[in-house]
Amino acid sequence: MAGQTGRPRVGIVSDVVLQRHRLQAATSKFGLAVRFSGDPERLLGYPEFPDASLWLVTLEDEADHPLLFDHLLENTDAPVLFGLDEAPKPGSTEYFRWERRLLGKLEQQLGHLEELDSEATLAELEQETPAPAPSPGMPHWITPAVPGSVAEEVWILGASLGGPAAVKTFLDHLPPNLPVGFIYAQHIDGNFTEVLTRVLGRHAHYQLKRAEEGYRVKNGDVVLMPVEHEWKLNEQGALTETSNAWPGPYGPSIDQVLLNVADHYGQRCHAILFSGMGNDGAIAAPLLKAYGSRIWVQESTSCGNSSMPESVAATGCSGFCGTPEQLARELVKTIEESCLLKSRQKRDSA
């Protein structure tokens, strides 16, 4: 059975309060409605058995609750998952890995859970004709990028549900010719790549382009990571496709994109996590932070779904949080400060 929104419902039974809370938080992150959450005694005394699509049961000692299993078997035909791992401390890498394992078990029973932008949503976004805004001006201290020049600094834009609208707004608020390149990792149906390309390129100074074998990211590029196979960078910084599927439940894996790009660019690789379900990006974020990279997130109220950026923020690695417009302004400010610092260093050395 599903809730009023069409999403599956889960029941959570545990004699450990903290485990119940963490299971509830994790299942809600993937859009599931929690129909019941309580200890075995509460379920046994419930006046009407809750109509859940799946039951999650984790007990310190099953022998302490001999009536529970018969009660479940007598009252529901829904699958029951027993003996789930204890949830680690939230915000830790172990916690996000635990969430991923839980998601895998949930999807084995309930099917695909992450909601993605539909073709209709993208078409609607394409048809929107907002009042034209003045093009943001390039600050004086930023030297415009030479057309076609290879990017020395790359920003990864990671997103899922609600991401296309947020990333489009972000790009629309950037001045042209910034000396950076972008790599865009978007959870989306691979059949919608063409319409996504049209949507993001309609008003922005930055055109979306699909990754190509041997291509080096140029300043002004927004290179879209394909959904089907994992892509890496070789020693020269050129994109290369592997024969492997992206690791993890969804492609492209934002975590893996972060790791693969940072492996070449190091501290010259940064990331912004936009709207989306789940926690993709949260495992790799601390590793990038250790490189000295910047990790930014979209603020919750401007997201179509805030789970992904909130998960990354929970790692403690995020250095800035804002709306897509604020993120664009902060990027320009950051580039300007970097250019000003380089100018001063060059003057001092002379």
Side-chain angles (χ1 to χ4, degrees):
M1 299 180 193
Q4 293 179 349
T5 61
R7 302 292 286 173
R9 292 175 171 180
V10 297
I12 297 170
V13 182
S14 177
D15 47 8
V16 180
V17 175
L18 195 58
Q19 179 79 336
R20 291 202 302 268
H21 288 170
R22 291 178 179 173
L23 283 169
Q24 185 166 347
T27 52
S28 297
K29 184 177 291 186
F30 293 102
L32 299 178
V34 178
R35 183 66 181 83
F36 173 89
S37 181
D39 60 29
E41 286 67 30
R42 182 166 181 258
L43 180 63
L44 290 169
Y46 223 59
E48 185 176 342
F49 196 85
D51 55 341
S53 313
L54 175 69
W55 285 88
L56 307 177
V57 180
T58 174
L59 305 172
E60 281 196 311
D61 189 343
E62 297 178 5
D64 292 338
H65 310 283
L67 301 179
L68 174 63
F69 302 104
D70 286 340
H71 188 65
L72 284 167
L73 292 173
E74 290 170 1
N75 288 281
T76 182
D77 294 326
V80 180
L81 296 181
F82 293 107
L84 299 171
D85 297 339
E86 183 179 349
K89 180 181 177 181
S92 64
T93 299
E94 291 76 17
Y95 176 79
F96 295 118
R97 294 190 186 281
W98 171 83
E99 276 191 330
R100 299 275 178 89
R101 291 195 300 271
L102 175 63
L103 173 63
K105 293 177 181 179
L106 292 172
E107 292 197 324
Q108 285 178 2
Q109 300 296 331
L110 301 173
H112 189 81
L113 291 179
E114 183 175 11
E115 292 184 86
L116 303 176
D117 287 274
S118 66
E119 187 173 16
T121 301
L122 293 173
E124 183 179 342
L125 183 61
E126 184 182 19
Q127 293 167 7
E128 288 180 2
T129 53
S135 177
M138 180 77 86
H140 171 72
W141 288 106
I142 298 180
T143 302
V146 175
S149 56
V150 174
E152 293 186 7
E153 191 169 340
V154 167
W155 284 75
I156 298 167
L157 312 177
S160 182
L161 181 65
V167 172
K168 173 174 167 43
T169 299
F170 168 77
L171 294 173
D172 283 348
H173 284 78
L174 294 178
N177 303 317
L178 285 174
V180 294
F182 298 100
I183 291 178
Y184 182 20
Q186 169 74 51
H187 292 178
I188 198 167
D189 187 311
N191 297 319
F192 303 158
T193 300
E194 184 177 339
V195 65
L196 179 66
T197 302
R198 293 199 306 269
V199 167
L200 265 76
R202 188 170 183 185
H203 302 293
H205 303 294
Y206 298 85
Q207 298 298 309
L208 193 66
K209 60 192 305 174
R210 193 175 175 89
E212 297 176 1
E213 184 71 30
Y215 186 78
R216 297 184 69 188
V217 180
K218 309 285 196 304
N219 289 309
D221 283 347
V222 183
V223 178
L224 180 66
M225 283 288 100
V227 171
E228 299 81 12
H229 295 113
E230 180 181 352
W231 285 67
K232 296 183 177 182
L233 299 175
N234 63 21
E235 292 182 1
Q236 290 73 42
L239 290 163
T240 181
E241 184 180 12
T242 76
S243 59
N244 303 320
W246 290 102
Y250 306 111
S253 163
I254 297 172
D255 276 308
Q256 198 62 47
V257 172
L258 293 173
L259 295 175
N260 291 352
V261 177
D263 190 48
H264 175 75
Y265 281 94
Q267 63 179 1
R268 295 179 292 114
C269 162
H270 312 284
I272 304 176
L273 280 300
F274 291 91
S275 175
M277 293 183 72
N279 66 16
D280 203 1
I283 292 175
L287 299 174
L288 262 71
K289 182 72 172 177
Y291 276 127
S293 302
R294 291 183 173 89
I295 309 291
W296 296 352
V297 296
Q298 183 179 351
E299 66 88 24
S300 298
T301 61
S302 65
C303 292
N305 190 295
S306 61
S307 294
M308 184 183 293
E310 286 178 351
S311 292
V312 174
T315 66
C317 296
S318 174
F320 184 79
C321 176
T323 64
E325 297 89 342
Q326 290 169 338
L327 288 162
R329 288 196 294 270
E330 186 68 14
L331 177 59
V332 174
K333 176 184 173 184
T334 299
I335 295 172
E336 182 181 21
E337 290 173 349
S338 176
C339 290
L340 181 57
L341 178 61
K342 289 177 183 177
S343 177
R344 287 174 177 169
Q345 291 172 340
K346 185 177 180 180
R347 186 180 64 233
D348 292 343
S349 63

